[in-house]
Every structure is written in C-alpha cells, then in structure tokens.
PDB file of all heavy atoms in Angstrom:
ATOM      1  N   THR A 208     151.757 -68.395  88.235  1.00  0.00           N
ATOM      2  CA  THR A 208     150.965 -67.331  88.862  1.00  0.00           C
ATOM      3  C   THR A 208     149.519 -67.304  88.364  1.00  0.00           C
ATOM      4  O   THR A 208     148.692 -66.627  88.972  1.00  0.00           O
ATOM      5  CB  THR A 208     151.617 -65.965  88.579  1.00  0.00           C
ATOM      6  OG1 THR A 208     151.623 -65.716  87.162  1.00  0.00           O
ATOM      7  CG2 THR A 208     153.050 -65.924  89.099  1.00  0.00           C
ATOM      8  N   ILE A 209     149.221 -68.010  87.287  1.00  0.00           N
ATOM      9  CA  ILE A 209     147.850 -68.063  86.765  1.00  0.00           C
ATOM     10  C   ILE A 209     147.052 -69.061  87.607  1.00  0.00           C
ATOM     11  O   ILE A 209     147.462 -70.215  87.759  1.00  0.00           O
ATOM     12  CB  ILE A 209     147.829 -68.480  85.288  1.00  0.00           C
ATOM     13  CG1 ILE A 209     148.745 -67.566  84.467  1.00  0.00           C
ATOM     14  CG2 ILE A 209     146.419 -68.461  84.743  1.00  0.00           C
ATOM     15  CD1 ILE A 209     148.367 -66.109  84.502  1.00  0.00           C
ATOM     16  N   PRO A 210     145.931 -68.664  88.187  1.00  0.00           N
ATOM     17  CA  PRO A 210     145.159 -69.587  89.034  1.00  0.00           C
ATOM     18  C   PRO A 210     144.721 -70.834  88.256  1.00  0.00           C
ATOM     19  O   PRO A 210     144.217 -70.736  87.133  1.00  0.00           O
ATOM     20  CB  PRO A 210     143.954 -68.750  89.477  1.00  0.00           C
ATOM     21  CG  PRO A 210     144.395 -67.334  89.321  1.00  0.00           C
ATOM     22  CD  PRO A 210     145.330 -67.308  88.153  1.00  0.00           C
ATOM     23  N   LYS A 211     144.894 -71.972  88.861  1.00  0.00           N
ATOM     24  CA  LYS A 211     144.487 -73.225  88.229  1.00  0.00           C
ATOM     25  C   LYS A 211     142.967 -73.376  88.185  1.00  0.00           C
ATOM     26  O   LYS A 211     142.459 -74.215  87.435  1.00  0.00           O
ATOM     27  CB  LYS A 211     145.107 -74.410  88.976  1.00  0.00           C
ATOM     28  CG  LYS A 211     146.629 -74.440  88.900  1.00  0.00           C
ATOM     29  CD  LYS A 211     147.191 -75.664  89.616  1.00  0.00           C
ATOM     30  CE  LYS A 211     148.715 -75.685  89.525  1.00  0.00           C
ATOM     31  NZ  LYS A 211     149.294 -76.871  90.213  1.00  0.00           N
ATOM     32  N   GLU A 212     142.272 -72.611  89.007  1.00  0.00           N
ATOM     33  CA  GLU A 212     140.811 -72.672  88.977  1.00  0.00           C
ATOM     34  C   GLU A 212     140.256 -72.257  87.615  1.00  0.00           C
ATOM     35  O   GLU A 212     139.181 -72.723  87.211  1.00  0.00           O
ATOM     36  CB  GLU A 212     140.231 -71.766  90.067  1.00  0.00           C
ATOM     37  CG  GLU A 212     140.436 -72.278  91.493  1.00  0.00           C
ATOM     38  CD  GLU A 212     141.840 -72.058  91.998  1.00  0.00           C
ATOM     39  OE1 GLU A 212     142.601 -71.322  91.315  1.00  0.00           O
ATOM     40  OE2 GLU A 212     142.195 -72.596  93.067  1.00  0.00           O
ATOM     41  N   LEU A 213     140.978 -71.404  86.892  1.00  0.00           N
ATOM     42  CA  LEU A 213     140.524 -71.018  85.557  1.00  0.00           C
ATOM     43  C   LEU A 213     140.561 -72.212  84.607  1.00  0.00           C
ATOM     44  O   LEU A 213     139.647 -72.406  83.798  1.00  0.00           O
ATOM     45  CB  LEU A 213     141.405 -69.887  85.024  1.00  0.00           C
ATOM     46  CG  LEU A 213     141.361 -68.564  85.800  1.00  0.00           C
ATOM     47  CD1 LEU A 213     142.345 -67.574  85.191  1.00  0.00           C
ATOM     48  CD2 LEU A 213     139.955 -67.993  85.790  1.00  0.00           C
ATOM     49  N   ASP A 214     141.604 -73.023  84.719  1.00  0.00           N
ATOM     50  CA  ASP A 214     141.686 -74.219  83.884  1.00  0.00           C
ATOM     51  C   ASP A 214     140.587 -75.218  84.240  1.00  0.00           C
ATOM     52  O   ASP A 214     139.977 -75.831  83.353  1.00  0.00           O
ATOM     53  CB  ASP A 214     143.056 -74.881  84.050  1.00  0.00           C
ATOM     54  CG  ASP A 214     144.178 -73.996  83.554  1.00  0.00           C
ATOM     55  OD1 ASP A 214     143.886 -72.878  83.082  1.00  0.00           O
ATOM     56  OD2 ASP A 214     145.359 -74.405  83.638  1.00  0.00           O
ATOM     57  N   GLU A 215     140.346 -75.363  85.537  1.00  0.00           N
ATOM     58  CA  GLU A 215     139.318 -76.308  85.958  1.00  0.00           C
ATOM     59  C   GLU A 215     137.931 -75.858  85.500  1.00  0.00           C
ATOM     60  O   GLU A 215     137.101 -76.682  85.094  1.00  0.00           O
ATOM     61  CB  GLU A 215     139.357 -76.453  87.473  1.00  0.00           C
ATOM     62  CG  GLU A 215     140.663 -77.051  87.990  1.00  0.00           C
ATOM     63  CD  GLU A 215     140.734 -77.061  89.502  1.00  0.00           C
ATOM     64  OE1 GLU A 215     139.777 -76.524  90.130  1.00  0.00           O
ATOM     65  OE2 GLU A 215     141.722 -77.575  90.057  1.00  0.00           O
ATOM     66  N   ALA A 216     137.678 -74.557  85.552  1.00  0.00           N
ATOM     67  CA  ALA A 216     136.383 -74.053  85.084  1.00  0.00           C
ATOM     68  C   ALA A 216     136.231 -74.265  83.588  1.00  0.00           C
ATOM     69  O   ALA A 216     135.135 -74.599  83.092  1.00  0.00           O
ATOM     70  CB  ALA A 216     136.245 -72.570  85.427  1.00  0.00           C
ATOM     71  N   ALA A 217     137.305 -74.095  82.839  1.00  0.00           N
ATOM     72  CA  ALA A 217     137.240 -74.312  81.393  1.00  0.00           C
ATOM     73  C   ALA A 217     137.044 -75.787  81.070  1.00  0.00           C
ATOM     74  O   ALA A 217     136.340 -76.145  80.107  1.00  0.00           O
ATOM     75  CB  ALA A 217     138.508 -73.790  80.738  1.00  0.00           C
ATOM     76  N   LYS A 218     137.644 -76.678  81.866  1.00  0.00           N
ATOM     77  CA  LYS A 218     137.466 -78.119  81.636  1.00  0.00           C
ATOM     78  C   LYS A 218     136.020 -78.537  81.904  1.00  0.00           C
ATOM     79  O   LYS A 218     135.486 -79.427  81.221  1.00  0.00           O
ATOM     80  CB  LYS A 218     138.418 -78.908  82.533  1.00  0.00           C
ATOM     81  CG  LYS A 218     139.881 -78.776  82.150  1.00  0.00           C
ATOM     82  CD  LYS A 218     140.768 -79.560  83.114  1.00  0.00           C
ATOM     83  CE  LYS A 218     142.240 -79.395  82.764  1.00  0.00           C
ATOM     84  NZ  LYS A 218     143.131 -80.106  83.719  1.00  0.00           N
ATOM     85  N   VAL A 219     135.402 -77.916  82.897  1.00  0.00           N
ATOM     86  CA  VAL A 219     133.996 -78.222  83.174  1.00  0.00           C
ATOM     87  C   VAL A 219     133.121 -77.875  81.971  1.00  0.00           C
ATOM     88  O   VAL A 219     132.141 -78.577  81.658  1.00  0.00           O
ATOM     89  CB  VAL A 219     133.526 -77.471  84.437  1.00  0.00           C
ATOM     90  CG1 VAL A 219     132.025 -77.626  84.635  1.00  0.00           C
ATOM     91  CG2 VAL A 219     134.273 -77.983  85.660  1.00  0.00           C
ATOM     92  N   ASP A 220     133.490 -76.797  81.270  1.00  0.00           N
ATOM     93  CA  ASP A 220     132.737 -76.392  80.071  1.00  0.00           C
ATOM     94  C   ASP A 220     133.094 -77.220  78.841  1.00  0.00           C
ATOM     95  O   ASP A 220     132.559 -76.964  77.762  1.00  0.00           O
ATOM     96  CB  ASP A 220     132.991 -74.912  79.780  1.00  0.00           C
ATOM     97  CG  ASP A 220     132.422 -74.015  80.869  1.00  0.00           C
ATOM     98  OD1 ASP A 220     131.489 -74.458  81.554  1.00  0.00           O
ATOM     99  OD2 ASP A 220     132.927 -72.886  81.040  1.00  0.00           O
ATOM    100  N   GLY A 221     133.993 -78.195  79.010  1.00  0.00           N
ATOM    101  CA  GLY A 221     134.339 -79.086  77.904  1.00  0.00           C
ATOM    102  C   GLY A 221     135.550 -78.677  77.108  1.00  0.00           C
ATOM    103  O   GLY A 221     135.797 -79.233  76.020  1.00  0.00           O
ATOM    104  N   ALA A 222     136.348 -77.715  77.564  1.00  0.00           N
ATOM    105  CA  ALA A 222     137.530 -77.272  76.832  1.00  0.00           C
ATOM    106  C   ALA A 222     138.670 -78.255  77.031  1.00  0.00           C
ATOM    107  O   ALA A 222     138.867 -78.793  78.127  1.00  0.00           O
ATOM    108  CB  ALA A 222     137.944 -75.886  77.302  1.00  0.00           C
ATOM    109  N   SER A 223     139.429 -78.500  75.986  1.00  0.00           N
ATOM    110  CA  SER A 223     140.587 -79.381  76.054  1.00  0.00           C
ATOM    111  C   SER A 223     141.820 -78.589  76.489  1.00  0.00           C
ATOM    112  O   SER A 223     141.792 -77.364  76.607  1.00  0.00           O
ATOM    113  CB  SER A 223     140.846 -80.019  74.694  1.00  0.00           C
ATOM    114  OG  SER A 223     141.117 -79.021  73.729  1.00  0.00           O
ATOM    115  N   HIS A 224     142.944 -79.304  76.721  1.00  0.00           N
ATOM    116  CA  HIS A 224     144.171 -78.626  77.116  1.00  0.00           C
ATOM    117  C   HIS A 224     144.641 -77.674  76.023  1.00  0.00           C
ATOM    118  O   HIS A 224     145.126 -76.573  76.316  1.00  0.00           O
ATOM    119  CB  HIS A 224     145.262 -79.661  77.419  1.00  0.00           C
ATOM    120  CG  HIS A 224     145.075 -80.365  78.718  1.00  0.00           C
ATOM    121  ND1 HIS A 224     145.216 -79.737  79.944  1.00  0.00           N
ATOM    122  CD2 HIS A 224     144.752 -81.658  78.993  1.00  0.00           C
ATOM    123  CE1 HIS A 224     144.997 -80.608  80.917  1.00  0.00           C
ATOM    124  NE2 HIS A 224     144.718 -81.782  80.378  1.00  0.00           N
ATOM    125  N   ALA A 225     144.511 -78.090  74.773  1.00  0.00           N
ATOM    126  CA  ALA A 225     144.951 -77.232  73.671  1.00  0.00           C
ATOM    127  C   ALA A 225     144.124 -75.952  73.595  1.00  0.00           C
ATOM    128  O   ALA A 225     144.663 -74.856  73.398  1.00  0.00           O
ATOM    129  CB  ALA A 225     144.865 -77.999  72.352  1.00  0.00           C
ATOM    130  N   ARG A 226     142.824 -76.080  73.767  1.00  0.00           N
ATOM    131  CA  ARG A 226     141.975 -74.884  73.701  1.00  0.00           C
ATOM    132  C   ARG A 226     142.235 -73.961  74.872  1.00  0.00           C
ATOM    133  O   ARG A 226     142.257 -72.738  74.711  1.00  0.00           O
ATOM    134  CB  ARG A 226     140.512 -75.303  73.671  1.00  0.00           C
ATOM    135  CG  ARG A 226     139.553 -74.133  73.474  1.00  0.00           C
ATOM    136  CD  ARG A 226     138.125 -74.598  73.289  1.00  0.00           C
ATOM    137  NE  ARG A 226     137.232 -73.469  73.042  1.00  0.00           N
ATOM    138  CZ  ARG A 226     135.929 -73.593  72.852  1.00  0.00           C
ATOM    139  NH1 ARG A 226     135.369 -74.798  72.879  1.00  0.00           N
ATOM    140  NH2 ARG A 226     135.192 -72.523  72.644  1.00  0.00           N
ATOM    141  N   ILE A 227     142.440 -74.532  76.058  1.00  0.00           N
ATOM    142  CA  ILE A 227     142.761 -73.701  77.225  1.00  0.00           C
ATOM    143  C   ILE A 227     144.084 -72.974  77.007  1.00  0.00           C
ATOM    144  O   ILE A 227     144.221 -71.781  77.324  1.00  0.00           O
ATOM    145  CB  ILE A 227     142.814 -74.575  78.492  1.00  0.00           C
ATOM    146  CG1 ILE A 227     141.436 -75.160  78.795  1.00  0.00           C
ATOM    147  CG2 ILE A 227     143.329 -73.777  79.681  1.00  0.00           C
ATOM    148  CD1 ILE A 227     141.432 -76.164  79.920  1.00  0.00           C
ATOM    149  N   PHE A 228     145.033 -73.680  76.434  1.00  0.00           N
ATOM    150  CA  PHE A 228     146.365 -73.099  76.236  1.00  0.00           C
ATOM    151  C   PHE A 228     146.335 -71.962  75.222  1.00  0.00           C
ATOM    152  O   PHE A 228     146.865 -70.877  75.467  1.00  0.00           O
ATOM    153  CB  PHE A 228     147.330 -74.199  75.792  1.00  0.00           C
ATOM    154  CG  PHE A 228     148.706 -73.705  75.449  1.00  0.00           C
ATOM    155  CD1 PHE A 228     149.574 -73.289  76.440  1.00  0.00           C
ATOM    156  CD2 PHE A 228     149.128 -73.654  74.127  1.00  0.00           C
ATOM    157  CE1 PHE A 228     150.837 -72.830  76.125  1.00  0.00           C
ATOM    158  CE2 PHE A 228     150.389 -73.202  73.806  1.00  0.00           C
ATOM    159  CZ  PHE A 228     151.247 -72.784  74.803  1.00  0.00           C
ATOM    160  N   PHE A 229     145.706 -72.193  74.073  1.00  0.00           N
ATOM    161  CA  PHE A 229     145.772 -71.210  72.992  1.00  0.00           C
ATOM    162  C   PHE A 229     144.781 -70.060  73.172  1.00  0.00           C
ATOM    163  O   PHE A 229     145.084 -68.931  72.778  1.00  0.00           O
ATOM    164  CB  PHE A 229     145.513 -71.896  71.648  1.00  0.00           C
ATOM    165  CG  PHE A 229     146.669 -72.730  71.164  1.00  0.00           C
ATOM    166  CD1 PHE A 229     146.619 -74.117  71.233  1.00  0.00           C
ATOM    167  CD2 PHE A 229     147.799 -72.127  70.651  1.00  0.00           C
ATOM    168  CE1 PHE A 229     147.680 -74.888  70.791  1.00  0.00           C
ATOM    169  CE2 PHE A 229     148.868 -72.885  70.205  1.00  0.00           C
ATOM    170  CZ  PHE A 229     148.811 -74.270  70.283  1.00  0.00           C
ATOM    171  N   THR A 230     143.624 -70.303  73.723  1.00  0.00           N
ATOM    172  CA  THR A 230     142.593 -69.265  73.785  1.00  0.00           C
ATOM    173  C   THR A 230     142.537 -68.527  75.114  1.00  0.00           C
ATOM    174  O   THR A 230     141.996 -67.422  75.170  1.00  0.00           O
ATOM    175  CB  THR A 230     141.208 -69.882  73.519  1.00  0.00           C
ATOM    176  OG1 THR A 230     140.915 -70.862  74.535  1.00  0.00           O
ATOM    177  CG2 THR A 230     141.175 -70.559  72.154  1.00  0.00           C
ATOM    178  N   MET A 231     143.108 -69.094  76.174  1.00  0.00           N
ATOM    179  CA  MET A 231     142.981 -68.452  77.476  1.00  0.00           C
ATOM    180  C   MET A 231     144.339 -68.176  78.123  1.00  0.00           C
ATOM    181  O   MET A 231     144.638 -67.034  78.494  1.00  0.00           O
ATOM    182  CB  MET A 231     142.128 -69.318  78.410  1.00  0.00           C
ATOM    183  CG  MET A 231     141.842 -68.662  79.759  1.00  0.00           C
ATOM    184  SD  MET A 231     140.801 -69.689  80.801  1.00  0.00           S
ATOM    185  CE  MET A 231     141.926 -71.054  81.122  1.00  0.00           C
ATOM    186  N   THR A 232     145.170 -69.192  78.238  1.00  0.00           N
ATOM    187  CA  THR A 232     146.406 -69.034  78.996  1.00  0.00           C
ATOM    188  C   THR A 232     147.391 -68.097  78.306  1.00  0.00           C
ATOM    189  O   THR A 232     148.016 -67.251  78.964  1.00  0.00           O
ATOM    190  CB  THR A 232     147.060 -70.410  79.216  1.00  0.00           C
ATOM    191  OG1 THR A 232     146.106 -71.308  79.793  1.00  0.00           O
ATOM    192  CG2 THR A 232     148.258 -70.284  80.134  1.00  0.00           C
ATOM    193  N   LEU A 233     147.539 -68.237  76.999  1.00  0.00           N
ATOM    194  CA  LEU A 233     148.501 -67.393  76.285  1.00  0.00           C
ATOM    195  C   LEU A 233     148.149 -65.915  76.396  1.00  0.00           C
ATOM    196  O   LEU A 233     149.033 -65.062  76.410  1.00  0.00           O
ATOM    197  CB  LEU A 233     148.578 -67.809  74.814  1.00  0.00           C
ATOM    198  CG  LEU A 233     149.252 -69.147  74.527  1.00  0.00           C
ATOM    199  CD1 LEU A 233     149.342 -69.378  73.026  1.00  0.00           C
ATOM    200  CD2 LEU A 233     150.651 -69.204  75.144  1.00  0.00           C
ATOM    201  N   ARG A 234     146.871 -65.583  76.460  1.00  0.00           N
ATOM    202  CA  ARG A 234     146.481 -64.184  76.607  1.00  0.00           C
ATOM    203  C   ARG A 234     146.838 -63.649  77.986  1.00  0.00           C
ATOM    204  O   ARG A 234     147.177 -62.478  78.132  1.00  0.00           O
ATOM    205  CB  ARG A 234     144.983 -64.038  76.368  1.00  0.00           C
ATOM    206  CG  ARG A 234     144.542 -64.408  74.955  1.00  0.00           C
ATOM    207  CD  ARG A 234     143.047 -64.229  74.790  1.00  0.00           C
ATOM    208  NE  ARG A 234     142.606 -64.605  73.443  1.00  0.00           N
ATOM    209  CZ  ARG A 234     141.342 -64.553  73.028  1.00  0.00           C
ATOM    210  NH1 ARG A 234     140.398 -64.135  73.872  1.00  0.00           N
ATOM    211  NH2 ARG A 234     141.031 -64.905  71.801  1.00  0.00           N
ATOM    212  N   LEU A 235     146.763 -64.507  78.994  1.00  0.00           N
ATOM    213  CA  LEU A 235     147.055 -64.059  80.351  1.00  0.00           C
ATOM    214  C   LEU A 235     148.548 -63.915  80.614  1.00  0.00           C
ATOM    215  O   LEU A 235     148.939 -63.192  81.529  1.00  0.00           O
ATOM    216  CB  LEU A 235     146.446 -65.044  81.360  1.00  0.00           C
ATOM    217  CG  LEU A 235     144.915 -65.172  81.331  1.00  0.00           C
ATOM    218  CD1 LEU A 235     144.462 -66.263  82.300  1.00  0.00           C
ATOM    219  CD2 LEU A 235     144.251 -63.855  81.663  1.00  0.00           C
ATOM    220  N   VAL A 236     149.373 -64.604  79.846  1.00  0.00           N
ATOM    221  CA  VAL A 236     150.826 -64.567  80.056  1.00  0.00           C
ATOM    222  C   VAL A 236     151.519 -63.773  78.956  1.00  0.00           C
ATOM    223  O   VAL A 236     152.702 -63.976  78.690  1.00  0.00           O
ATOM    224  CB  VAL A 236     151.404 -65.997  80.135  1.00  0.00           C
ATOM    225  CG1 VAL A 236     150.823 -66.759  81.308  1.00  0.00           C
ATOM    226  CG2 VAL A 236     151.155 -66.747  78.835  1.00  0.00           C
ATOM    227  N   MET A 237     150.805 -62.863  78.323  1.00  0.00           N
ATOM    228  CA  MET A 237     151.378 -62.107  77.211  1.00  0.00           C
ATOM    229  C   MET A 237     152.619 -61.316  77.608  1.00  0.00           C
ATOM    230  O   MET A 237     153.578 -61.232  76.817  1.00  0.00           O
ATOM    231  CB  MET A 237     150.312 -61.176  76.627  1.00  0.00           C
ATOM    232  CG  MET A 237     150.753 -60.486  75.343  1.00  0.00           C
ATOM    233  SD  MET A 237     151.228 -61.655  74.043  1.00  0.00           S
ATOM    234  CE  MET A 237     149.644 -62.474  73.747  1.00  0.00           C
ATOM    235  N   PRO A 238     152.718 -60.695  78.805  1.00  0.00           N
ATOM    236  CA  PRO A 238     153.953 -59.964  79.143  1.00  0.00           C
ATOM    237  C   PRO A 238     155.200 -60.824  79.107  1.00  0.00           C
ATOM    238  O   PRO A 238     156.237 -60.400  78.585  1.00  0.00           O
ATOM    239  CB  PRO A 238     153.668 -59.430  80.559  1.00  0.00           C
ATOM    240  CG  PRO A 238     152.184 -59.318  80.610  1.00  0.00           C
ATOM    241  CD  PRO A 238     151.659 -60.470  79.816  1.00  0.00           C
ATOM    242  N   ILE A 239     155.125 -62.049  79.628  1.00  0.00           N
ATOM    243  CA  ILE A 239     156.321 -62.888  79.638  1.00  0.00           C
ATOM    244  C   ILE A 239     156.622 -63.418  78.246  1.00  0.00           C
ATOM    245  O   ILE A 239     157.789 -63.638  77.893  1.00  0.00           O
ATOM    246  CB  ILE A 239     156.152 -64.051  80.647  1.00  0.00           C
ATOM    247  CG1 ILE A 239     157.492 -64.742  80.905  1.00  0.00           C
ATOM    248  CG2 ILE A 239     155.126 -65.049  80.153  1.00  0.00           C
ATOM    249  CD1 ILE A 239     158.513 -63.855  81.537  1.00  0.00           C
ATOM    250  N   LEU A 240     155.605 -63.595  77.416  1.00  0.00           N
ATOM    251  CA  LEU A 240     155.850 -64.018  76.038  1.00  0.00           C
ATOM    252  C   LEU A 240     156.586 -62.932  75.267  1.00  0.00           C
ATOM    253  O   LEU A 240     157.509 -63.225  74.489  1.00  0.00           O
ATOM    254  CB  LEU A 240     154.528 -64.360  75.350  1.00  0.00           C
ATOM    255  CG  LEU A 240     153.727 -65.528  75.922  1.00  0.00           C
ATOM    256  CD1 LEU A 240     152.458 -65.749  75.106  1.00  0.00           C
ATOM    257  CD2 LEU A 240     154.559 -66.798  75.945  1.00  0.00           C
ATOM    258  N   VAL A 241     156.180 -61.687  75.477  1.00  0.00           N
ATOM    259  CA  VAL A 241     156.874 -60.573  74.820  1.00  0.00           C
ATOM    260  C   VAL A 241     158.307 -60.459  75.330  1.00  0.00           C
ATOM    261  O   VAL A 241     159.242 -60.189  74.556  1.00  0.00           O
ATOM    262  CB  VAL A 241     156.104 -59.267  75.060  1.00  0.00           C
ATOM    263  CG1 VAL A 241     156.865 -58.070  74.504  1.00  0.00           C
ATOM    264  CG2 VAL A 241     154.721 -59.344  74.431  1.00  0.00           C
ATOM    265  N   THR A 242     158.509 -60.703  76.614  1.00  0.00           N
ATOM    266  CA  THR A 242     159.851 -60.640  77.182  1.00  0.00           C
ATOM    267  C   THR A 242     160.754 -61.695  76.570  1.00  0.00           C
ATOM    268  O   THR A 242     161.890 -61.409  76.164  1.00  0.00           O
ATOM    269  CB  THR A 242     159.782 -60.822  78.698  1.00  0.00           C
ATOM    270  OG1 THR A 242     158.964 -59.802  79.270  1.00  0.00           O
ATOM    271  CG2 THR A 242     161.162 -60.764  79.315  1.00  0.00           C
ATOM    272  N   VAL A 243     160.268 -62.930  76.500  1.00  0.00           N
ATOM    273  CA  VAL A 243     161.068 -64.012  75.915  1.00  0.00           C
ATOM    274  C   VAL A 243     161.329 -63.752  74.438  1.00  0.00           C
ATOM    275  O   VAL A 243     162.423 -64.019  73.924  1.00  0.00           O
ATOM    276  CB  VAL A 243     160.354 -65.362  76.129  1.00  0.00           C
ATOM    277  CG1 VAL A 243     161.076 -66.486  75.390  1.00  0.00           C
ATOM    278  CG2 VAL A 243     160.281 -65.681  77.614  1.00  0.00           C
ATOM    279  N   PHE A 244     160.335 -63.206  73.738  1.00  0.00           N
ATOM    280  CA  PHE A 244     160.531 -62.881  72.327  1.00  0.00           C
ATOM    281  C   PHE A 244     161.628 -61.833  72.159  1.00  0.00           C
ATOM    282  O   PHE A 244     162.488 -61.951  71.277  1.00  0.00           O
ATOM    283  CB  PHE A 244     159.220 -62.372  71.734  1.00  0.00           C
ATOM    284  CG  PHE A 244     159.353 -61.865  70.320  1.00  0.00           C
ATOM    285  CD1 PHE A 244     159.366 -62.747  69.259  1.00  0.00           C
ATOM    286  CD2 PHE A 244     159.479 -60.505  70.064  1.00  0.00           C
ATOM    287  CE1 PHE A 244     159.500 -62.287  67.958  1.00  0.00           C
ATOM    288  CE2 PHE A 244     159.610 -60.035  68.774  1.00  0.00           C
ATOM    289  CZ  PHE A 244     159.626 -60.928  67.712  1.00  0.00           C
ATOM    290  N   MET A 245     161.623 -60.814  72.993  1.00  0.00           N
ATOM    291  CA  MET A 245     162.632 -59.772  72.891  1.00  0.00           C
ATOM    292  C   MET A 245     164.026 -60.312  73.185  1.00  0.00           C
ATOM    293  O   MET A 245     164.985 -60.017  72.469  1.00  0.00           O
ATOM    294  CB  MET A 245     162.293 -58.632  73.844  1.00  0.00           C
ATOM    295  CG  MET A 245     161.052 -57.852  73.463  1.00  0.00           C
ATOM    296  SD  MET A 245     160.650 -56.568  74.673  1.00  0.00           S
ATOM    297  CE  MET A 245     162.142 -55.577  74.617  1.00  0.00           C
ATOM    298  N   LEU A 246     164.148 -61.094  74.230  1.00  0.00           N
ATOM    299  CA  LEU A 246     165.453 -61.663  74.565  1.00  0.00           C
ATOM    300  C   LEU A 246     165.959 -62.589  73.467  1.00  0.00           C
ATOM    301  O   LEU A 246     167.147 -62.569  73.116  1.00  0.00           O
ATOM    302  CB  LEU A 246     165.361 -62.409  75.896  1.00  0.00           C
ATOM    303  CG  LEU A 246     165.024 -61.561  77.128  1.00  0.00           C
ATOM    304  CD1 LEU A 246     164.890 -62.445  78.369  1.00  0.00           C
ATOM    305  CD2 LEU A 246     166.088 -60.500  77.351  1.00  0.00           C
ATOM    306  N   SER A 247     165.071 -63.395  72.915  1.00  0.00           N
ATOM    307  CA  SER A 247     165.460 -64.292  71.831  1.00  0.00           C
ATOM    308  C   SER A 247     165.833 -63.513  70.574  1.00  0.00           C
ATOM    309  O   SER A 247     166.806 -63.838  69.886  1.00  0.00           O
ATOM    310  CB  SER A 247     164.332 -65.280  71.526  1.00  0.00           C
ATOM    311  OG  SER A 247     164.009 -66.061  72.653  1.00  0.00           O
ATOM    312  N   PHE A 248     165.064 -62.475  70.263  1.00  0.00           N
ATOM    313  CA  PHE A 248     165.330 -61.682  69.067  1.00  0.00           C
ATOM    314  C   PHE A 248     166.694 -61.008  69.153  1.00  0.00           C
ATOM    315  O   PHE A 248     167.482 -61.043  68.198  1.00  0.00           O
ATOM    316  CB  PHE A 248     164.232 -60.635  68.892  1.00  0.00           C
ATOM    317  CG  PHE A 248     164.381 -59.796  67.645  1.00  0.00           C
ATOM    318  CD1 PHE A 248     163.792 -60.201  66.461  1.00  0.00           C
ATOM    319  CD2 PHE A 248     165.106 -58.609  67.667  1.00  0.00           C
ATOM    320  CE1 PHE A 248     163.916 -59.441  65.311  1.00  0.00           C
ATOM    321  CE2 PHE A 248     165.242 -57.842  66.528  1.00  0.00           C
ATOM    322  CZ  PHE A 248     164.653 -58.260  65.348  1.00  0.00           C
ATOM    323  N   VAL A 249     166.991 -60.392  70.278  1.00  0.00           N
ATOM    324  CA  VAL A 249     168.276 -59.719  70.438  1.00  0.00           C
ATOM    325  C   VAL A 249     169.427 -60.722  70.373  1.00  0.00           C
ATOM    326  O   VAL A 249     170.467 -60.464  69.757  1.00  0.00           O
ATOM    327  CB  VAL A 249     168.305 -58.932  71.758  1.00  0.00           C
ATOM    328  CG1 VAL A 249     169.680 -58.336  72.014  1.00  0.00           C
ATOM    329  CG2 VAL A 249     167.262 -57.828  71.742  1.00  0.00           C
ATOM    330  N   GLY A 250     169.241 -61.890  71.001  1.00  0.00           N
ATOM    331  CA  GLY A 250     170.292 -62.898  70.971  1.00  0.00           C
ATOM    332  C   GLY A 250     170.550 -63.437  69.574  1.00  0.00           C
ATOM    333  O   GLY A 250     171.715 -63.597  69.161  1.00  0.00           O
TER     334      GLY A 250
END
C-alpha cells in the first residue's frame, strides 16, 4: 500500500535500499509492525 514513487524519489536523491527501508518505509508501516509484534509476543 506504500506508493513506490516514494522509493523512486529517494533513489534519485542517492538513498540506498537500506536507508529507504530503515529511515522511511518502517515509519510508514508502523501500525502493521506493532500488530505483528503483539501477535508474536502473545504467541
């Protein structure tokens, strides 16, 4: 659901896949990360 145009814009600025993943994408998908953490913790 995260637009790929954000990744392409970051690549134009010289960002690598790791930087895009850790500094941009993880912040945008925080709700699902919390959900997976909760399910894993309870299990």
Side-chain angles (χ1 to χ4, degrees):
T208 62
I209 306 300
K211 296 182 180 180
E212 289 77 11
L213 296 177
D214 296 0
E215 296 174 356
K218 291 178 182 178
V219 172
D220 294 336
S223 61
H224 285 291
R226 185 173 183 180
I227 295 173
F228 175 72
F229 286 105
T230 61
M231 185 178 67
T232 307
L233 289 184
R234 297 180 181 180
L235 297 175
V236 298
M237 188 57 64
I239 193 63
L240 297 181
V241 175
T242 301
V243 173
F244 174 81
M245 292 177 60
L246 296 177
S247 301
F248 182 90
V249 174

